[in-house]
Coordinates of all heavy atoms in Angstrom, one line a residue:
F1 N 0.9 -1.2 0.0 CA 0.0 0.0 0.0 C 0.9 1.3 0.0 O 0.6 2.3 -0.7 CB -0.9 0.0 1.2 CG -1.9 1.2 1.2 CD1 -3.1 1.1 0.5 CD2 -1.7 2.4 1.9 CE1 -4.0 2.2 0.4 CE2 -2.6 3.3 1.8 CZ -3.7 3.3 1.1
L2 N 1.9 1.3 0.8 CA 2.8 2.4 0.9 C 3.5 2.7 -0.5 O 3.7 3.8 -0.9 CB 3.9 2.3 2.0 CG 3.4 2.4 3.4 CD1 4.5 2.0 4.4 CD2 3.1 3.9 3.6
E3 N 4.0 1.6 -1.0 CA 4.6 1.6 -2.4 C 3.7 2.3 -3.4 O 4.1 3.2 -4.1 CB 5.0 0.2 -2.8 CG 5.7 0.0 -4.0 CD 6.0 -1.5 -4.3 OE1 5.0 -2.3 -4.5 OE2 7.2 -1.9 -4.0
L4 N 2.5 1.9 -3.4 CA 1.5 2.4 -4.4 C 1.1 3.9 -4.1 O 1.1 4.7 -5.0 CB 0.2 1.5 -4.4 CG -0.9 1.9 -5.4 CD1 -0.4 1.7 -6.7 CD2 -2.1 1.1 -5.1
R5 N 1.0 4.1 -2.8 CA 0.5 5.4 -2.4 C 1.6 6.4 -2.5 O 1.4 7.7 -2.9 CB 0.1 5.4 -1.0 CG -0.6 6.7 -0.5 CD -1.4 6.5 0.8 NE -2.3 7.6 0.9 CZ -3.0 7.8 1.9 NH1 -3.0 6.9 2.9 NH2 -3.8 8.8 2.0
L6 N 2.9 6.1 -2.2 CA 4.0 7.1 -2.2 C 4.8 7.2 -3.4 O 5.6 8.1 -3.5 CB 4.9 6.7 -0.9 CG 4.2 6.7 0.4 CD1 5.2 6.4 1.5 CD2 3.6 8.2 0.8
G7 N 4.6 6.2 -4.3 CA 5.5 6.2 -5.5 C 7.1 6.3 -5.2 O 7.4 5.4 -4.4
D8 N 7.7 7.2 -5.8 CA 9.1 7.2 -5.6 C 9.6 7.6 -4.1 O 10.6 7.2 -3.8 CB 9.6 8.4 -6.6 CG 9.6 8.1 -8.0 OD1 9.5 7.0 -8.4 OD2 9.6 9.1 -8.8
D9 N 8.6 8.2 -3.5 CA 9.0 8.4 -2.0 C 9.0 7.1 -1.1 O 9.5 7.2 0.1 CB 8.1 9.5 -1.5 CG 8.4 10.9 -2.0 OD1 9.6 11.2 -2.3 OD2 7.5 11.6 -2.1
Y10 N 8.5 6.1 -1.6 CA 8.5 4.9 -0.9 C 9.9 4.4 -0.6 O 10.2 3.7 0.4 CB 7.8 3.7 -1.7 CG 8.0 2.4 -1.0 CD1 7.3 2.1 0.1 CD2 8.7 1.4 -1.5 CE1 7.4 0.9 0.8 CE2 8.9 0.2 -0.9 CZ 8.2 0.0 0.2 OH 8.4 -1.3 0.9
R11 N 10.9 4.8 -1.4 CA 12.3 4.5 -1.1 C 12.7 4.8 0.3 O 13.6 4.2 0.9 CB 13.3 5.1 -2.1 CG 13.5 6.6 -1.8 CD 14.3 7.2 -3.0 NE 14.5 8.6 -2.8 CZ 13.7 9.7 -3.1 NH1 12.5 9.3 -3.6 NH2 13.9 10.9 -2.8
H12 N 12.1 5.7 1.0 CA 12.5 6.0 2.3 C 12.0 5.0 3.3 O 12.4 4.9 4.5 CB 11.9 7.4 2.7 CG 12.4 8.5 1.9 ND1 13.6 8.9 1.9 CD2 11.7 9.3 0.9 CE1 13.8 9.9 1.1 NE2 12.6 10.1 0.4
F13 N 11.0 4.1 2.9 CA 10.4 3.1 3.9 C 10.8 1.7 3.4 O 10.5 0.7 4.1 CB 8.9 3.3 3.8 CG 8.5 4.6 4.2 CD1 8.3 5.6 3.3 CD2 8.3 4.9 5.6 CE1 7.8 6.9 3.7 CE2 7.9 6.1 6.0 CZ 7.7 7.1 5.1
R14 N 11.5 1.6 2.3 CA 11.9 0.3 1.8 C 12.5 -0.6 2.9 O 13.3 -0.1 3.6 CB 12.8 0.3 0.6 CG 13.0 -0.9 -0.2 CD 13.7 -0.6 -1.5 NE 13.2 0.5 -2.3 CZ 12.1 0.5 -3.2 NH1 11.5 -0.7 -3.3 NH2 11.8 1.5 -3.8
N15 N 12.2 -1.9 3.0 CA 12.7 -2.8 3.9 C 13.1 -4.1 3.2 O 12.3 -4.7 2.7 CB 11.5 -3.1 5.0 CG 11.8 -3.9 6.0 OD1 12.8 -4.8 5.9 ND2 11.2 -3.9 7.2
S16 N 14.4 -4.4 3.4 CA 15.0 -5.5 2.6 C 14.5 -6.7 3.3 O 14.7 -7.9 2.7 CB 16.5 -5.4 2.6 OG 17.0 -5.4 3.9
G17 N 14.0 -6.8 4.5 CA 13.5 -8.0 5.1 C 12.2 -8.5 4.8 O 11.7 -9.5 5.4
L18 N 11.5 -7.9 3.8 CA 10.2 -8.3 3.4 C 10.2 -9.5 2.6 O 11.2 -9.7 1.8 CB 9.5 -7.1 2.8 CG 9.2 -5.9 3.6 CD1 8.6 -4.8 2.9 CD2 8.4 -6.2 4.9
D19 N 9.2 -10.3 2.5 CA 9.1 -11.5 1.7 C 8.6 -11.1 0.3 O 7.5 -10.5 0.1 CB 8.0 -12.4 2.3 CG 7.8 -13.7 1.5 OD1 7.6 -13.7 0.3 OD2 7.9 -14.8 2.2
G20 N 9.5 -11.2 -0.7 CA 9.2 -10.8 -2.1 C 8.1 -11.5 -2.7 O 7.4 -10.9 -3.4
D21 N 7.8 -12.8 -2.4 CA 6.7 -13.5 -3.0 C 5.3 -12.9 -2.5 O 4.4 -12.6 -3.2 CB 6.8 -15.0 -2.7 CG 7.9 -15.7 -3.5 OD1 8.3 -15.2 -4.5 OD2 8.3 -16.7 -3.0
R22 N 5.4 -12.6 -1.1 CA 4.2 -12.0 -0.6 C 3.9 -10.5 -1.2 O 2.8 -10.2 -1.4 CB 4.3 -11.8 0.9 CG 4.1 -13.1 1.6 CD 4.0 -13.0 3.1 NE 3.9 -14.3 3.8 CZ 4.0 -14.5 5.0 NH1 3.9 -13.5 5.8 NH2 3.8 -15.7 5.5
M23 N 5.0 -9.9 -1.3 CA 4.9 -8.5 -1.9 C 4.3 -8.6 -3.3 O 3.3 -7.9 -3.6 CB 6.2 -7.9 -2.0 CG 6.9 -7.5 -0.7 SD 6.1 -6.0 0.1 CE 6.8 -4.7 -0.9
Q24 N 4.8 -9.6 -4.0 CA 4.2 -9.7 -5.4 C 2.6 -10.1 -5.4 O 1.9 -9.6 -6.2 CB 5.0 -10.7 -6.2 CG 4.6 -10.9 -7.6 CD 5.6 -11.7 -8.4 OE1 6.6 -12.3 -7.9 NE2 5.5 -11.7 -9.7
L25 N 2.3 -11.0 -4.6 CA 0.9 -11.5 -4.3 C 0.1 -10.3 -3.9 O -1.0 -10.1 -4.5 CB 0.9 -12.7 -3.5 CG -0.6 -13.1 -3.0 CD1 -1.3 -13.6 -4.3 CD2 -0.6 -14.0 -2.0
Y26 N 0.4 -9.6 -3.0 CA -0.3 -8.5 -2.4 C -0.4 -7.3 -3.5 O -1.4 -6.6 -3.5 CB 0.3 -8.0 -1.1 CG 0.0 -9.1 0.0 CD1 1.0 -9.0 1.0 CD2 -0.9 -10.0 -0.1 CE1 0.8 -10.1 2.1 CE2 -1.1 -11.0 0.9 CZ -0.3 -11.0 2.0 OH -0.4 -12.0 2.9
R27 N 0.7 -7.1 -4.2 CA 0.6 -6.1 -5.3 C -0.5 -6.5 -6.2 O -1.3 -5.7 -6.7 CB 1.9 -6.0 -6.1 CG 2.7 -4.8 -5.8 CD 4.0 -4.8 -6.6 NE 5.0 -4.5 -5.7 CZ 6.0 -5.3 -5.4 NH1 6.1 -6.6 -6.0 NH2 7.0 -5.0 -4.5
L28 N -0.5 -7.7 -6.7 CA -1.4 -8.3 -7.6 C -2.9 -8.0 -7.0 O -3.8 -7.6 -7.7 CB -1.2 -9.7 -8.0 CG -2.2 -10.3 -9.0 CD1 -2.2 -9.6 -10.3 CD2 -1.8 -11.8 -9.1
A29 N -3.0 -8.4 -5.7 CA -4.4 -8.3 -5.1 C -4.8 -6.8 -5.1 O -6.0 -6.5 -5.3 CB -4.4 -8.9 -3.7
M30 N -3.9 -6.0 -4.8 CA -4.2 -4.4 -4.7 C -4.6 -3.9 -6.1 O -5.5 -3.2 -6.2 CB -3.0 -3.7 -4.1 CG -3.3 -2.3 -3.8 SD -3.2 -1.6 -2.2 CE -2.7 -2.8 -1.1
Y31 N -3.8 -4.3 -7.1 CA -4.2 -3.8 -8.4 C -5.5 -4.3 -8.9 O -6.3 -3.6 -9.4 CB -3.0 -4.2 -9.4 CG -1.7 -3.7 -9.1 CD1 -0.6 -4.3 -9.7 CD2 -1.4 -2.6 -8.4 CE1 0.7 -3.9 -9.4 CE2 -0.2 -2.1 -8.2 CZ 0.9 -2.8 -8.8 OH 2.1 -2.3 -8.5
L32 N -5.8 -5.5 -8.6 CA -7.0 -6.2 -9.0 C -8.3 -5.5 -8.3 O -9.3 -5.1 -8.8 CB -7.2 -7.7 -8.7 CG -6.3 -8.6 -9.8 CD1 -6.3 -10.0 -9.3 CD2 -6.9 -8.4 -11.2
S33 N -8.0 -5.0 -7.1 CA -9.0 -4.4 -6.3 C -9.3 -3.0 -6.8 O -10.4 -2.4 -6.8 CB -8.8 -4.4 -4.8 OG -7.7 -3.5 -4.5
L34 N -8.2 -2.3 -7.4 CA -8.3 -1.1 -7.9 C -8.8 -1.1 -9.4 O -9.0 -0.1 -10.1 CB -6.9 -0.3 -7.9 CG -6.5 0.0 -6.5 CD1 -5.1 0.4 -6.4 CD2 -7.4 1.2 -5.9
V35 N -9.0 -2.3 -9.9 CA -9.9 -2.4 -11.1 C -11.3 -2.7 -10.8 O -12.2 -2.0 -11.2 CB -9.3 -3.5 -12.1 CG1 -10.2 -3.9 -13.2 CG2 -7.9 -3.3 -12.5
A36 N -11.5 -3.6 -9.9 CA -12.9 -4.1 -9.6 C -13.7 -2.9 -8.9 O -14.9 -2.7 -9.3 CB -12.8 -5.3 -8.7
G37 N -13.1 -2.3 -7.9 CA -13.8 -1.3 -7.2 C -14.3 -0.1 -8.2 O -15.4 0.2 -8.1
P38 N -13.5 0.5 -8.9 CA -14.0 1.6 -9.8 C -15.0 1.1 -10.9 O -15.9 1.8 -11.3 CB -12.6 2.0 -10.6 CG -11.6 1.8 -9.5 CD -12.0 0.5 -8.8
L39 N -14.8 -0.2 -11.3 CA -15.7 -0.7 -12.3 C -17.1 -0.9 -11.7 O -18.1 -0.5 -12.4 CB -15.3 -2.1 -12.8 CG -14.1 -2.0 -13.9 CD1 -13.8 -3.5 -14.3 CD2 -14.5 -1.2 -15.1
R40 N -17.2 -1.2 -10.4 CA -18.5 -1.2 -9.7 C -19.0 0.2 -9.7 O -20.3 0.3 -9.9 CB -18.3 -1.8 -8.3 CG -18.3 -3.3 -8.2 CD -18.4 -3.8 -6.9 NE -17.4 -3.3 -5.9 CZ -16.2 -4.1 -5.8 NH1 -15.9 -5.0 -6.5 NH2 -15.4 -3.5 -5.0
L41 N -18.3 1.2 -9.4 CA -18.8 2.6 -9.5 C -19.4 2.9 -10.8 O -20.4 3.7 -10.9 CB -17.7 3.6 -9.1 CG -17.2 3.7 -7.7 CD1 -16.0 4.5 -7.5 CD2 -18.2 4.0 -6.7
L42 N -18.7 2.5 -11.8 CA -19.2 2.8 -13.2 C -20.5 2.1 -13.6 O -21.1 2.4 -14.6 CB -18.1 2.5 -14.2 CG -16.8 3.4 -14.1 CD1 -15.8 3.0 -15.0 CD2 -17.2 4.8 -14.3
D43 N -21.0 1.2 -12.8 CA -22.3 0.4 -13.1 C -23.4 1.4 -12.9 O -24.4 1.3 -13.5 CB -22.4 -0.8 -12.2 CG -21.7 -2.0 -12.7 OD1 -21.3 -2.0 -13.9 OD2 -21.5 -3.0 -11.9
G44 N -23.1 2.4 -12.1 CA -24.2 3.4 -11.8 C -24.0 4.7 -12.5 O -23.4 4.8 -13.6
D45 N -24.5 5.8 -12.0 CA -24.4 7.1 -12.6 C -23.3 7.9 -11.9 O -23.4 9.0 -11.8 CB -25.7 7.8 -12.6 CG -26.1 8.0 -11.2 OD1 -25.7 7.4 -10.2 OD2 -27.2 8.7 -11.1

């Protein structure tokens, strides 16, 4: 979430001890939710 929200400024919070596979999975989940949520909004007016 911080990576997505802060963009280039995330470098100040980067942590080498994080699990890369989990990061990749959670990135995918976050991106998919940012497709699904807005599409639901577009169903209405």
Side-chain angles (χ1 to χ4, degrees):
F1 185 83
L2 283 168
E3 183 181 71
L4 182 66
R5 186 165 201 186
L6 299 177
D8 291 338
D9 289 329
Y10 173 72
R11 70 184 184 281
H12 301 291
F13 300 94
R14 195 170 310 278
N15 180 334
S16 62
L18 299 175
D19 184 308
D21 290 337
R22 284 185 186 181
M23 292 285 288
Q24 190 171 8
L25 174 64
Y26 294 152
R27 251 185 232 112
L28 181 59
M30 185 120 3
Y31 297 158
L32 287 171
S33 73
L34 289 169
V35 171
L39 285 177
R40 281 192 297 275
L41 289 175
L42 293 174
D43 279 345
D45 59 350

